Amino acid sequence: MPTQSQSAILLSLIWLHCFCEACAFLSQTTHHPTRVALSATDQQSLSETPSSSFLTFPLTQVVSDIDDTLKSSGGVTIAGVSLGGIDVQYARGEFYPGVFQFMWELSLYSITLNQQYYDDFTSGEDDSSLLQGLTPPKVAVLTARAEEFKAALEIKDESKLAQAFLKTGELSEVCPTKNWGVGPVLYGSVNEWIVQYKKGLRKFNNFERLLEQDPTGRILQYIYVGDTGELDQEAGETMLREYPEVVQAVFLHVVSFDSPSAYPSSGLPIPPSKLINGRPLVFFRTYVGAAAKATQLGLMEGDGLMRVMEKAEKELEERGVPKDDVKWIDLERDIHEAYRTIETMA
């Protein structure tokens, strides 16, 4: 039987759900545009993006979830309602090893390709000067976090998350910049937090809003990174079905509500990758494994894979994680795949 406090929480959640449903009904009686333009703040990164006239390759914008993708939710719930995800392997709020380096390398690769093209096939200072100051697009965020609670959940510039992104770009060995980090953030609502099955659709609808920054698809293409805990797979598969011309790939972090002690000795099983509309949907356990797959798919260079691997190892070591911990088992399995990937490129 629920306690008195749990009953109070449930009644509050039911009231919020009914309120959201009523608002949704009222909104249907008023005309609204079918597509919502991004705010001026959300379009800031686009204003800094160059014209497509001299881009041989479109720039890659990584689109990411937050909980259980960038950092662990810890599997915390209130009255049976998830507070963001299901992962219990890492502590709540702990960043996954190598995640920021992985997203930097994905973002950086299109810059590298354009630079290589101009170095190899053009001559003269006029062409090369066009690429001076070109930086990777900032990471867009699609989150199920409720916009109604934005005051408490907003990603502020001084937050650990925003600073981790910023520091990764600043300290990069290649094309260091202070202009990379968190870009547009598109939230969910209380309605999806209560009615969980709506989260996937909300994230896809927010992705369609993001596409408004470049309707032609000639300047920006996208890679979506989510997890298997909160209907990101539904959102990602819909992106691939509806927009294969601009969505290069979907990567899903495999998480579980089971205790790591219940995992098989070889680690948590990873579903096989698959193609949707000719575009890859990739499942991964660590960001080294994700980087290995990205390299195999031509979305990251070999040097980038090495940097992700080095960063992930360093972060686990700095946290003092024992070598017999399942976190190391997962990472070492993917490190072996990373080295096999690099060997095939030699």
Side-chain angles (χ1 to χ4, degrees):
M1 292 291 291
T3 64
Q4 186 175 0
S5 60
Q6 288 175 323
S7 298
I9 292 171
L10 284 171
L11 286 173
S12 299
L13 295 177
I14 292 170
W15 182 89
L16 282 171
H17 173 54
C18 292
F19 174 77
C20 292
E21 290 293 328
C23 290
F25 172 78
L26 290 174
S27 67
Q28 292 171 4
T29 65
T30 306
H31 174 70
H32 292 282
T34 55
R35 296 171 74 86
V36 182
L38 294 174
S39 67
T41 302
D42 288 345
Q43 294 194 58
Q44 180 180 359
S45 60
L46 178 63
S47 66
E48 300 167 354
T49 302
S51 165
S52 63
S53 60
F54 65 89
L55 286 176
T56 305
F57 304 94
L59 302 183
T60 298
Q61 182 170 44
V62 176
V63 183
S64 179
D65 179 44
I66 298 179
D67 298 302
D68 286 358
T69 300
L70 297 173
K71 60 181 182 177
S72 175
S73 66
V76 177
T77 62
I78 293 181
V81 178
S82 169
L83 280 184
I86 64 173
D87 185 32
V88 296
Q89 182 184 28
Y90 284 81
R92 181 171 176 80
E94 189 174 6
F95 295 134
Y96 294 106
V99 59
F100 300 107
Q101 192 70 38
F102 171 73
M103 293 190 179
W104 165 255
E105 299 297 343
L106 286 179
S107 305
L108 177 65
Y109 189 47
S110 58
I111 304 293
T112 303
L113 290 176
N114 278 289
Q115 187 64 61
Q116 289 175 347
Y117 175 84
Y118 279 94
D119 289 346
D120 294 342
F121 298 105
T122 66
S123 60
E125 296 181 358
D126 290 342
D127 288 331
S128 61
S129 65
L130 291 172
L131 294 178
Q132 290 180 3
L134 186 62
T135 58
K138 295 179 179 179
V139 174
V141 175
L142 303 184
T143 175
R145 294 182 174 193
E147 191 163 16
E148 293 88 340
F149 303 146
K150 185 177 178 180
L153 299 175
E154 184 178 11
I155 303 174
K156 297 181 173 61
D157 291 342
E158 62 273 17
S159 68
K160 290 182 179 179
L161 182 66
Q163 287 298 310
F165 272 114
L166 185 64
K167 185 178 179 181
T168 301
E170 289 180 346
L171 300 180
S172 174
E173 299 175 8
V174 182
C175 298
T177 178
K178 295 182 179 180
N179 295 323
W180 187 76
V182 177
V185 180
L186 296 99
Y187 292 87
S189 72
V190 171
N191 196 20
E192 290 92 41
W193 188 57
I194 305 302
V195 187
Q196 298 277 312
Y197 70 84
K198 294 185 178 181
K199 288 184 177 180
L201 178 60
R202 177 60 176 250
K203 288 183 180 180
F204 173 71
N205 289 339
N206 277 343
F207 176 70
E208 289 194 304
R209 291 178 59 198
L210 185 66
L211 293 180
E212 291 291 335
Q213 65 184 335
D214 176 29
T216 68
R218 280 181 262 180
I219 299 174
L220 292 172
Q221 295 197 342
Y222 306 90
I223 295 176
Y224 178 54
V225 186
D227 61 83
T228 59
E230 283 210 317
L231 296 176
D232 290 348
Q233 183 170 348
E234 176 186 316
E237 289 186 356
T238 308
M239 292 175 196
L240 294 175
R241 283 195 300 269
E242 299 296 326
Y243 298 102
E245 68 278 7
V246 293
V247 181
Q248 296 175 293
V250 170
F251 288 82
L252 294 176
H253 181 212
V254 177
V255 292
S256 173
F257 51 75
D258 291 330
S259 169
S261 61
Y263 295 171
S265 58
S266 58
L268 197 66
I270 310 299
S273 302
K274 60 182 179 179
L275 293 176
I276 297 176
N277 260 354
R279 295 292 195 179
L281 186 149
V282 177
F283 296 92
F284 67 94
R285 184 60 173 157
T286 76
Y287 280 93
V288 172
K293 294 295 185 184
T295 304
Q296 294 165 17
L297 292 167
L299 301 172
M300 183 183 295
E301 61 179 340
D303 288 345
L305 169 56
M306 288 296 298
R307 289 190 288 267
V308 175
M309 183 164 52
E310 291 167 1
K311 190 67 172 178
E313 286 186 286
K314 180 180 179 182
E315 289 177 355
L316 264 192
E317 288 172 353
E318 289 177 344
R319 297 175 195 180
V321 178
K323 286 292 185 178
D324 60 350
D325 191 284
V326 70
K327 296 173 186 174
W328 275 110
I329 295 174
D330 288 340
L331 188 62
E332 288 170 354
R333 175 178 62 179
D334 286 344
I335 286 174
H336 290 316
E337 181 178 3
Y339 278 121
R340 288 194 297 268
T341 300
I342 293 170
E343 289 173 1
T344 62
M345 299 172 64

Short mmCIF file of all heavy atoms in Angstrom, two decimals, residues 48-79:
data_model
loop_
_atom_site.label_atom_id
_atom_site.label_comp_id
_atom_site.label_asym_id
_atom_site.label_seq_id
_atom_site.Cartn_x
_atom_site.Cartn_y
_atom_site.Cartn_z
N GLU A 48 25.88 31.87 -36.87
CA GLU A 48 27.33 31.76 -36.91
C GLU A 48 27.78 30.74 -37.95
O GLU A 48 28.97 30.55 -38.17
CB GLU A 48 27.86 31.35 -35.52
CG GLU A 48 27.50 32.35 -34.43
CD GLU A 48 27.73 31.79 -33.04
OE1 GLU A 48 28.05 30.59 -32.94
OE2 GLU A 48 27.58 32.54 -32.06
N THR A 49 26.84 30.08 -38.62
CA THR A 49 27.15 29.04 -39.59
C THR A 49 27.35 29.65 -40.96
O THR A 49 26.58 30.50 -41.39
CB THR A 49 26.01 28.01 -39.66
OG1 THR A 49 25.82 27.46 -38.37
CG2 THR A 49 26.37 26.88 -40.62
N PRO A 50 28.39 29.24 -41.69
CA PRO A 50 28.68 29.84 -42.99
C PRO A 50 27.68 29.44 -44.05
O PRO A 50 26.90 28.51 -43.89
CB PRO A 50 30.07 29.29 -43.31
CG PRO A 50 30.11 27.98 -42.61
CD PRO A 50 29.33 28.19 -41.34
N SER A 51 27.72 30.14 -45.17
CA SER A 51 26.90 29.79 -46.32
C SER A 51 27.32 28.45 -46.88
O SER A 51 28.48 28.03 -46.76
CB SER A 51 27.04 30.87 -47.39
OG SER A 51 26.55 30.42 -48.63
N SER A 52 26.38 27.76 -47.53
CA SER A 52 26.69 26.46 -48.13
C SER A 52 27.47 26.60 -49.43
O SER A 52 27.92 25.61 -50.00
CB SER A 52 25.39 25.69 -48.41
OG SER A 52 24.59 26.39 -49.36
N SER A 53 27.66 27.83 -49.90
CA SER A 53 28.27 28.04 -51.22
C SER A 53 29.70 27.54 -51.28
O SER A 53 30.20 27.21 -52.35
CB SER A 53 28.23 29.53 -51.59
OG SER A 53 28.93 30.31 -50.65
N PHE A 54 30.41 27.50 -50.16
CA PHE A 54 31.78 27.02 -50.19
C PHE A 54 31.98 25.77 -49.33
O PHE A 54 33.10 25.35 -49.08
CB PHE A 54 32.76 28.12 -49.75
CG PHE A 54 32.62 28.56 -48.33
CD1 PHE A 54 33.32 27.93 -47.32
CD2 PHE A 54 31.78 29.60 -48.00
CE1 PHE A 54 33.19 28.34 -46.01
CE2 PHE A 54 31.66 30.03 -46.69
CZ PHE A 54 32.36 29.40 -45.69
N LEU A 55 30.90 25.16 -48.86
CA LEU A 55 31.02 23.92 -48.10
C LEU A 55 30.89 22.74 -49.05
O LEU A 55 29.85 22.53 -49.67
CB LEU A 55 29.92 23.84 -47.04
CG LEU A 55 30.07 24.72 -45.80
CD1 LEU A 55 28.84 24.59 -44.91
CD2 LEU A 55 31.33 24.39 -45.02
N THR A 56 31.95 21.97 -49.19
CA THR A 56 31.88 20.76 -50.01
C THR A 56 31.10 19.69 -49.28
O THR A 56 30.35 18.92 -49.90
CB THR A 56 33.31 20.26 -50.30
OG1 THR A 56 34.05 21.31 -50.91
CG2 THR A 56 33.26 19.05 -51.23
N PHE A 57 31.24 19.63 -47.97
CA PHE A 57 30.52 18.67 -47.14
C PHE A 57 29.67 19.42 -46.13
O PHE A 57 30.15 20.36 -45.49
CB PHE A 57 31.50 17.75 -46.40
CG PHE A 57 32.45 17.01 -47.30
CD1 PHE A 57 33.71 17.52 -47.57
CD2 PHE A 57 32.07 15.82 -47.90
CE1 PHE A 57 34.59 16.86 -48.40
CE2 PHE A 57 32.95 15.13 -48.73
CZ PHE A 57 34.21 15.66 -49.00
N PRO A 58 28.40 19.04 -45.94
CA PRO A 58 27.58 19.70 -44.90
C PRO A 58 28.21 19.50 -43.53
O PRO A 58 28.89 18.51 -43.27
CB PRO A 58 26.24 18.96 -45.00
CG PRO A 58 26.22 18.34 -46.36
CD PRO A 58 27.64 18.02 -46.68
N LEU A 59 28.00 20.46 -42.66
CA LEU A 59 28.50 20.35 -41.30
C LEU A 59 27.60 19.40 -40.50
O LEU A 59 26.41 19.28 -40.77
CB LEU A 59 28.52 21.71 -40.63
CG LEU A 59 29.35 22.79 -41.33
CD1 LEU A 59 29.34 24.08 -40.53
CD2 LEU A 59 30.79 22.32 -41.57
N THR A 60 28.20 18.73 -39.54
CA THR A 60 27.46 17.76 -38.72
C THR A 60 27.10 18.39 -37.38
O THR A 60 27.98 18.82 -36.63
CB THR A 60 28.30 16.50 -38.47
OG1 THR A 60 28.57 15.86 -39.72
CG2 THR A 60 27.55 15.52 -37.57
N GLN A 61 25.81 18.41 -37.09
CA GLN A 61 25.35 18.83 -35.76
C GLN A 61 24.90 17.61 -34.98
O GLN A 61 24.02 16.86 -35.44
CB GLN A 61 24.21 19.84 -35.85
CG GLN A 61 23.76 20.33 -34.46
CD GLN A 61 22.80 21.49 -34.52
OE1 GLN A 61 21.87 21.49 -35.31
NE2 GLN A 61 23.03 22.50 -33.68
N VAL A 62 25.52 17.39 -33.85
CA VAL A 62 25.11 16.29 -32.97
C VAL A 62 23.87 16.74 -32.20
O VAL A 62 23.80 17.86 -31.70
CB VAL A 62 26.24 15.92 -31.99
CG1 VAL A 62 25.77 14.84 -31.01
CG2 VAL A 62 27.46 15.43 -32.76
N VAL A 63 22.88 15.86 -32.14
CA VAL A 63 21.65 16.11 -31.40
C VAL A 63 21.60 15.08 -30.27
O VAL A 63 21.66 13.88 -30.53
CB VAL A 63 20.41 15.97 -32.31
CG1 VAL A 63 19.14 16.30 -31.54
CG2 VAL A 63 20.55 16.87 -33.54
N SER A 64 21.51 15.53 -29.05
CA SER A 64 21.67 14.62 -27.92
C SER A 64 20.54 14.73 -26.90
O SER A 64 19.98 15.80 -26.67
CB SER A 64 23.00 14.91 -27.20
OG SER A 64 23.18 14.05 -26.08
N ASP A 65 20.24 13.59 -26.31
CA ASP A 65 19.43 13.53 -25.10
C ASP A 65 20.34 13.88 -23.92
O ASP A 65 21.57 14.02 -24.09
CB ASP A 65 18.85 12.11 -24.97
CG ASP A 65 18.01 11.91 -23.72
OD1 ASP A 65 17.20 12.79 -23.42
OD2 ASP A 65 18.18 10.87 -23.05
N ILE A 66 19.79 14.01 -22.73
CA ILE A 66 20.61 14.29 -21.54
C ILE A 66 20.72 13.07 -20.63
O ILE A 66 21.78 12.45 -20.52
CB ILE A 66 20.03 15.48 -20.73
CG1 ILE A 66 20.04 16.75 -21.58
CG2 ILE A 66 20.87 15.70 -19.46
CD1 ILE A 66 19.47 17.96 -20.86
N ASP A 67 19.61 12.73 -19.97
CA ASP A 67 19.65 11.68 -18.94
C ASP A 67 19.87 10.30 -19.56
O ASP A 67 19.19 9.91 -20.51
CB ASP A 67 18.35 11.70 -18.14
CG ASP A 67 18.16 13.01 -17.40
OD1 ASP A 67 19.03 13.35 -16.59
OD2 ASP A 67 17.15 13.70 -17.64
N ASP A 68 20.84 9.59 -19.02
CA ASP A 68 21.26 8.25 -19.48
C ASP A 68 21.95 8.30 -20.83
O ASP A 68 22.24 7.26 -21.43
CB ASP A 68 20.09 7.26 -19.52
CG ASP A 68 19.67 6.81 -18.12
OD1 ASP A 68 20.31 7.23 -17.15
OD2 ASP A 68 18.71 6.04 -18.01
N THR A 69 22.22 9.52 -21.34
CA THR A 69 22.98 9.68 -22.58
C THR A 69 24.25 10.46 -22.28
O THR A 69 25.35 9.98 -22.53
CB THR A 69 22.14 10.41 -23.65
OG1 THR A 69 20.97 9.65 -23.93
CG2 THR A 69 22.94 10.58 -24.94
N LEU A 70 24.12 11.65 -21.73
CA LEU A 70 25.28 12.42 -21.31
C LEU A 70 25.67 12.08 -19.88
O LEU A 70 26.86 11.95 -19.57
CB LEU A 70 24.97 13.92 -21.39
CG LEU A 70 24.68 14.48 -22.79
CD1 LEU A 70 24.22 15.94 -22.69
CD2 LEU A 70 25.91 14.37 -23.67
N LYS A 71 24.67 11.92 -19.04
CA LYS A 71 24.95 11.59 -17.64
C LYS A 71 23.88 10.64 -17.12
O LYS A 71 22.76 10.59 -17.63
CB LYS A 71 25.00 12.85 -16.78
CG LYS A 71 23.72 13.67 -16.77
CD LYS A 71 23.88 14.90 -15.90
CE LYS A 71 22.60 15.72 -15.82
NZ LYS A 71 22.76 16.88 -14.91
N SER A 72 24.23 9.90 -16.08
CA SER A 72 23.33 8.87 -15.56
C SER A 72 22.18 9.47 -14.76
O SER A 72 22.35 10.42 -14.00
CB SER A 72 24.12 7.91 -14.67
OG SER A 72 23.26 6.96 -14.05
N SER A 73 21.01 8.87 -14.95
CA SER A 73 19.84 9.25 -14.14
C SER A 73 19.87 8.60 -12.77
O SER A 73 19.17 9.02 -11.86
CB SER A 73 18.56 8.82 -14.87
OG SER A 73 18.50 7.39 -14.92
N GLY A 74 20.65 7.52 -12.65
CA GLY A 74 20.70 6.78 -11.40
C GLY A 74 19.48 5.90 -11.18
O GLY A 74 19.35 5.25 -10.13
N GLY A 75 18.57 5.88 -12.17
CA GLY A 75 17.37 5.06 -12.05
C GLY A 75 16.40 5.55 -10.98
O GLY A 75 15.56 4.79 -10.49
N VAL A 76 16.48 6.83 -10.63
CA VAL A 76 15.64 7.38 -9.56
C VAL A 76 14.20 7.55 -10.04
O VAL A 76 13.95 8.00 -11.16
CB VAL A 76 16.20 8.73 -9.07
CG1 VAL A 76 15.30 9.34 -8.00
CG2 VAL A 76 17.61 8.54 -8.52
N THR A 77 13.24 7.20 -9.17
CA THR A 77 11.83 7.36 -9.47
C THR A 77 11.12 8.03 -8.30
O THR A 77 11.60 7.99 -7.16
CB THR A 77 11.14 6.02 -9.76
OG1 THR A 77 11.21 5.19 -8.58
CG2 THR A 77 11.80 5.29 -10.91
N ILE A 78 9.96 8.63 -8.58
CA ILE A 78 9.07 9.15 -7.55
C ILE A 78 7.70 8.53 -7.77
O ILE A 78 7.10 8.72 -8.83
CB ILE A 78 8.96 10.69 -7.60
CG1 ILE A 78 10.30 11.33 -7.23
CG2 ILE A 78 7.88 11.18 -6.64
CD1 ILE A 78 10.28 12.85 -7.23
N ALA A 79 7.24 7.77 -6.79
CA ALA A 79 5.95 7.09 -6.88
C ALA A 79 5.85 6.28 -8.17
O ALA A 79 4.81 6.23 -8.83
CB ALA A 79 4.81 8.11 -6.81
#
